Structure formats: C-alpha cells, structure tokens
C-alpha cells in the first residue's frame, strides 16, 4: 500500500513540477510570443516573508528530511536516480493544498505536515519564500518555480488560487495547452 502511494506521489511531483517556471532565459525553441508569459519575477522584500522562528525552520528541516528518507527508500528500489527533495516537497506541498479528505490526509502524512492546511502552507510556503529571498543576494542566484500553469479547460477553485498567491507567491497562469503547447515549451522549466 505504501509503495503504491509513494509511486503516486512521485508521479504527482513530476507532474506538479511541470507547472512551475523559473525566470531563466528561454530555450531557443520557444516562440517569440512566449516572452510575454515570463514576466520578470518581482524581487521579494523582507516584508514579503512570514515570521519564521528558529523552531519553525528546524521543524521544516525535520519534515523535509523525514520526507526525503521515505521517498528515497521507495525510489532506491528502482535503481540509480537523482532527485531534489526540496523540489518534490515544494511542488507536492502546493498540490496538497488543493486536496481534500483522504487524499489530503495521505499527502500530509507523506509530507510530514503538522496542523491544518493553512498552518502547513504557511510553514512550507514561508520556507520557500525565505530561500527565494535569500537567493536574491548580489553574488548568488537561487531560482525556484514561481508560477502554477493551468490549462484553460480546468476549473480552479478560487481558494486554491488565493492560497498559492498568499503562501507561495506563485500566481496561476491560465493557458491553452490543448492547442498551443509548443508556445510554452521554452517557458515552463
């Protein structure tokens, strides 16, 4: 049962990562009109960051380590691999906010969340924003997925959209994947 759940989580993480984009340069294959889709990310200010205590940061680190260990135990059975625990955890944390009932409970358990959705989103989103903010230093650059891409045929619950903006500063971008997927290839990751 747990192996199946971790496999589903892995596939979900990969799919979720496809929703993110970074502000790096477009690939040569991207169409010129895709440039309008990659508006430069607004630099974060200290006021954008939620108040996180040392205990909050330690708790996040403990959750991430426990998640990473569990994920690695399942993935190791498949052979050699490389993965970013933070990337998977970050993408799945955003996806978990949109889940309800047993699905949310299982995701929260795998992600090692404590408390309700808002508390989990605040901690996970807060750490994500802190890493983004710290990564703006003059001599370093840390890019993180900063947008959720949604096909125009999908219905987005307003509470999900609001939460992505509030906790993760990850706005939703509604696009036409069905007919214009090539337009986004050079923009999304």
């Amino acid at each position: 049962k747990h192996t199946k759940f971790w496999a589903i989580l892995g596939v979900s993480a990969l799919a979720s990562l496809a929703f993110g984009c970074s502000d790096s340069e477009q690939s040569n294959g991207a169409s010129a009109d895709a440039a309008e889709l990659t508006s430069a990310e607004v630099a974060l200010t200290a006021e954008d960051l939620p108040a996180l205590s040392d205990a909050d940061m330690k708790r996040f680190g403990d959750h991430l380590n426990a998640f990473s260990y569990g994920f690695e135990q399942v993935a190791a059975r498949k052979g050699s691999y490389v993965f970013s625990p933070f990337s998977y955890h970050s993408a799945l944390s955003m996806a978990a906010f949109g889940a309800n009932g047993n699905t949310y409970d299982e995701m929260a358990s795998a992600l090692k969340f404590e408390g309700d959705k808002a508390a989990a989103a605040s901690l996970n989103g807060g750490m994500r924003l802190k890493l983004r903010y710290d990564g703006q230093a003059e001599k370093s650059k840390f890019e993180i997925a900063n947008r959720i891409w949604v096909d125009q045929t999908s219905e987005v619950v307003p509470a999900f959209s609001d939460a992505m903006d509030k906790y993760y500063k990850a706005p939703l971008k509604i696009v036409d994947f069905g007919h214009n997927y090539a337009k986004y290839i050079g923009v999304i990751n």
Side-chain angles (χ1 to χ4, degrees), residues 125-140:
M127 285 303 298
R128 190 174 178 280
L129 292 174
K130 179 169 177 27
L131 288 169
R132 261 184 58 201
Y133 176 74
D134 291 348
Q136 295 176 156
E138 188 174 313
K139 300 213 185 246
S140 68

Side-chain angles (χ1 to χ4, degrees), residues 55-78:
D56 289 333
M57 289 186 272
K58 181 181 182 328
R59 192 168 79 247
F60 176 82
D62 291 345
H63 295 175
L64 183 59
N65 286 338
F67 166 79
S68 301
Y69 180 76
F71 190 88
E72 191 274 335
Q73 294 301 303
V74 173
R77 296 182 212 155
K78 304 294 181 192

Side-chain angles (χ1 to χ4, degrees), residues 34-188:
E36 60 93 13
L37 297 171
T38 58
S39 60
E41 185 175 278
V42 175
L44 294 173
T45 66
E47 291 79 36
D48 292 320
L49 302 177
L52 295 170
S53 67
D54 288 344
D56 289 333
M57 289 186 272
K58 181 181 182 328
R59 192 168 79 247
F60 176 82
D62 291 345
H63 295 175
L64 183 59
N65 286 338
F67 166 79
S68 301
Y69 180 76
F71 190 88
E72 191 274 335
Q73 294 301 303
V74 173
R77 296 182 212 155
K78 304 294 181 192
S80 298
Y81 65 94
V82 175
F83 76 102
S84 165
F86 176 78
S87 293
Y88 276 76
H89 194 272
S90 182
L92 287 169
S93 294
M94 291 188 282
F97 196 90
N100 289 307
N102 289 337
T103 302
Y104 176 78
D105 293 342
E106 289 182 8
M107 291 182 80
S109 175
L111 292 164
K112 310 305 181 197
F113 287 171
E114 295 172 355
D116 63 14
K117 273 189 189 183
S122 181
L123 176 62
N124 289 284
M127 285 303 298
R128 190 174 178 280
L129 292 174
K130 179 169 177 27
L131 288 169
R132 261 184 58 201
Y133 176 74
D134 291 348
Q136 295 176 156
E138 188 174 313
K139 300 213 185 246
S140 68
K141 185 167 186 166
F142 182 78
E143 290 185 346
I144 238 174
N146 65 333
R147 181 165 287 163
I148 307 290
W149 297 83
V150 180
D151 186 73
Q152 66 184 5
T153 61
S154 299
E155 183 179 339
V156 178
V157 176
F160 178 77
S161 178
D162 294 345
M164 293 304 99
D165 189 49
K166 176 180 179 180
Y167 297 116
Y168 296 95
K169 303 287 187 239
L172 271 63
K173 179 69 178 173
I174 308 298
V175 296
D176 181 6
F177 285 127
H179 298 98
N180 278 330
Y181 70 89
K183 180 177 179 179
Y184 312 109
I185 289 173
V187 179
I188 300 173

